[in-house]
């Protein structure tokens, strides 16, 4: 007897999703509550668990199909997987031929982000060993292989044949449908540009004091709190202090009204398999640096695993985006509506600066604040960045709330 697997409830106001990846193939043994498929919604990826133990049966939809909440997408048959029930639905192999087995490196088994990485790098997925769940290839596997030095070709005893002109000039293209998450990101960012009177102001900050504090206490911090001491904890805490001083940066526009918040829910942009996602640190203004670091670390891990919950992405009064981890020197980040401002952090690099009349080398970072000029004046934006700069350059201010 087969048990139907249906699309689970995905969250408030979400009625459909896209099938992003099959995690189990027909004939595979399946445990109860083991994920068999991954769904892509407007905000996050959601894994669909098996309601019973048995054998993966029919796959009712294909990768890329849109499915509604409550729709049947697969069946789980009784058994333990030894009999390979999928053979009945597959065409019989002719004499001397064997039907190819599904593997984690076939194009059909690769997730959209991995397929895109394969296309961009030209790496042959069949030559790689996956480090993901059940040995599946991940995007990092492909990028690591692409960045590895190529092995020297073995000497040939026969003279090489010159490639034909047609082969040398051959070019191919492939169209890949945008994921639902990427479509939503594109729409929201364009809507933000069309709606807000967006402007960006810059400043720079000397990271010497924070770097010294981190180097002095990072081992004790990790031993006590079980998480590494990074820079985001300092910036999130300093931003919360600056938001209290300049409440308009933490406000939003609702129709013809301005909504001021007496709390700071900080959205932090973290990288996931399908792009950037923005989970929210609730009541960050009431947290310690250690609590903020623990929360961000948990968000980053679960973003890579695709296990962030949709309710964790809702709300937020202010966003911090750290492009510096990817090497960005300077950028103009886009507001995350209905928020009115976003802080962009960038890479730290040694630069010559003047201190007390002397030219010295200091680790400097550019800060960028994009804001909605309909609500936030230039004076307020600059004052916010200066307050943030002062707190980072003198971290004692964070401790005494100055």
């Amino acid at each position: 007897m087969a048990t139907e697997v249906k699309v689970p409830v995905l969250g408030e106001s979400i009625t459909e999703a896209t099938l992003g990846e099959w995690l189990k193939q027909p004939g595979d043994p399946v445990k109860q509550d083991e994920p068999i498929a991954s769904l892509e919604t407007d905000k996050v990826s959601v894994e669909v668990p098996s309601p019973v133990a048995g054998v993966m049966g029919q796959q009712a939809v294909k990768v890329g199909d849109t499915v509604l909440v409550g729709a049947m997408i697969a069946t789980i048959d009784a058994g333990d997987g030894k009999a390979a029930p999928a053979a009945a639905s597959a065409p019989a192999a002719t004499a001397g031929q064997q039907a190819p087995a599904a593997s984690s490196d076939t194009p059909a088994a690769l997730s959209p982000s991995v397929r895109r990485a394969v296309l961009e790098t030209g790496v042959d997925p069949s030559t790689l060993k996956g480090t993901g769940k059940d040995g599946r290839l991940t995007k990092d596997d492909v990028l690591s292989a692409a960045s590895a030095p190529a092995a020297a070709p073995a000497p040939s005893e026969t003279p090489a044949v010159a490639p034909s002109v047609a082969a040398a000039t051959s070019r191919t293209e492939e169209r890949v449908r945008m994921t639902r998450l990427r479509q939503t990101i594109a729409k929201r960012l364009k809507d933000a540009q069309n709606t807000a009177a967006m402007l960006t102001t810059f400043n720079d900050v000397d990271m010497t004091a924070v770097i010294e504090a981190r180097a002095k206490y990072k081992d004790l911090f990790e031993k006590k709190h079980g998480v590494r001491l990074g820079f985001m904890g300092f910036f999130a805490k300093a931003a919360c202090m600056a938001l209290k001083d300049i409440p308009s940066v933490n406000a939003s526009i609702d129709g013809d009204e301005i909504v001021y918040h007496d709390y700071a829910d900080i959205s932090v942009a973290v990288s996931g398999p399908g792009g950037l996602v923005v989970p929210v640190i609730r009541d960050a203004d009431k947290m310690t640096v250690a609590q903020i670091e623990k929360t961000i670390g948990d968000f980053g891990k679960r973003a890579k695993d695709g296990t962030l919950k949709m309710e964790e992405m809702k709300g937020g009064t202010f966003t911090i985006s750290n492009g510096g981890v990817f090497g960005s020197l300077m950028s103009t980040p886009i507001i995350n509506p209905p928020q009115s401002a976003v802080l962009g952090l960038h890479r730290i690099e040694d630069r010559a600066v003047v201190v007390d009349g002397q030219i010295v080398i200091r680790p400097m970072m550019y800060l960028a604040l994009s804001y909605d000029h309909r609500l936030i004046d230039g004076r307020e934006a600059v004052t916010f960045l200066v307050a943030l700069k002062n707190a980072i350059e003198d971290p004692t201010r964070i401790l005494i709330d100055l």
Side-chain angles (χ1 to χ4, degrees):
M1 179 178 177
T3 301
E4 293 185 347
V5 181
K6 298 182 179 181
V7 177
V9 176
L10 301 172
E12 183 181 356
S13 76
I14 298 179
T15 60
E16 63 181 27
T18 301
L19 184 70
E21 180 182 6
W22 282 112
L23 304 178
K24 292 289 185 179
Q25 298 301 321
D28 289 350
V30 178
K31 299 176 183 178
Q32 185 173 358
D33 296 327
E34 184 177 10
I36 65 165
S38 174
L39 300 177
E40 295 176 352
T41 71
D42 292 348
K43 297 182 178 180
V44 292
S45 295
V46 178
E47 291 184 339
V48 181
S50 173
V52 296
V55 177
M56 185 68 181
Q58 173 193 6
Q59 294 176 343
V61 295
K62 297 181 295 184
V63 171
D65 286 352
T66 297
V67 292
L68 300 177
V69 171
M72 190 271 285
I73 61 171
T75 60
I76 303 297
D77 299 331
D80 57 9
K82 296 178 181 178
S89 61
T94 59
Q97 293 181 331
Q98 184 177 359
S103 65
S104 62
D105 54 12
T106 58
L110 301 180
S111 68
S113 61
V114 175
R115 286 201 300 271
R116 190 179 304 114
V118 168
L119 291 174
E120 293 174 350
T121 61
V123 171
D124 182 0
S126 64
T127 64
L128 305 181
K129 182 178 180 181
T131 61
K133 186 184 298 182
D134 297 329
R136 295 196 306 274
L137 285 180
T138 67
K139 182 178 178 182
D140 289 340
D141 294 334
V142 177
L143 297 180
S144 296
S147 61
S156 174
E157 296 180 358
T158 59
V161 178
S164 65
V165 175
T169 59
S170 175
R171 301 191 300 173
T172 61
E173 293 181 350
E174 180 175 348
R175 291 181 179 267
V176 179
R177 184 177 180 180
M178 292 175 69
T179 64
R180 182 176 295 272
L181 175 60
R182 177 52 60 185
Q183 292 178 46
T184 302
I185 292 173
K187 182 178 183 302
R188 286 177 60 84
L189 293 180
K190 189 57 184 173
D191 287 347
Q193 287 184 320
N194 293 340
T195 302
M198 198 148 50
L199 182 65
T200 304
T201 187
F202 299 92
N203 210 321
D204 61 3
V205 58
D206 185 344
M207 296 291 291
T208 300
V210 166
I211 290 175
E212 290 177 350
R214 181 174 179 268
K216 183 176 181 180
Y217 297 112
K218 64 179 181 179
D219 293 336
L220 290 173
F221 185 90
E222 185 169 4
K223 182 178 180 180
K224 179 175 181 179
H225 300 290
V227 65
R228 293 174 56 191
L229 177 60
F231 297 123
M232 279 293 286
F234 289 98
F235 276 103
K237 196 64 181 176
C240 288
M241 294 170 55
L243 291 174
K244 288 183 178 180
D245 293 339
I246 315 294
S248 61
V249 180
N250 196 42
S252 59
I253 294 178
D254 184 9
D256 58 358
E257 296 179 332
I258 299 175
V259 181
Y260 291 98
H261 309 286
D262 66 352
Y263 54 88
D265 286 352
I266 305 297
S267 304
V268 288
V270 295
S271 182
L276 287 179
V277 291
V278 192
V280 180
I281 307 173
R282 310 287 178 189
D283 294 317
D285 54 314
K286 297 179 176 64
M287 289 185 173
T288 64
V289 171
Q291 290 172 326
I292 291 173
E293 287 288 0
K294 286 180 180 180
T295 304
I296 294 174
D298 177 60
F299 283 158
K301 181 179 182 301
R302 291 193 289 123
K304 291 181 180 179
D305 295 340
T307 57
L308 282 173
K309 299 176 182 178
M310 270 169 287
E311 55 265 27
E312 294 174 312
M313 324 278 274
K314 295 179 180 178
T317 60
F318 181 76
T319 294
I320 300 178
S321 177
N322 186 8
V325 297
F326 305 109
S328 171
L329 176 64
M330 189 179 294
S331 68
T332 55
I334 299 178
I335 297 169
N336 180 25
Q339 299 172 22
S340 297
V342 53
L343 174 68
L345 309 181
H346 302 90
R347 76 169 185 250
I348 302 169
E349 64 174 10
D350 288 341
R351 293 205 301 269
V353 296
V354 178
V355 178
D356 297 329
Q358 301 293 320
I359 298 177
V360 296
I361 303 298
R362 291 290 173 88
M364 304 296 294
M365 176 196 287
Y366 286 117
L367 304 176
L369 183 74
S370 292
Y371 58 97
D372 190 343
H373 214 339
R374 296 177 303 167
L375 173 60
I376 303 168
D377 294 332
R379 177 185 62 83
E380 294 172 312
V382 172
T383 303
F384 173 88
L385 278 184
V386 170
L388 185 74
K389 172 186 172 74
N390 290 339
I392 294 298
E393 292 186 342
D394 183 7
T396 303
R397 289 173 173 262
I398 298 177
L399 297 177
I400 61 177
D401 193 16
L402 182 60

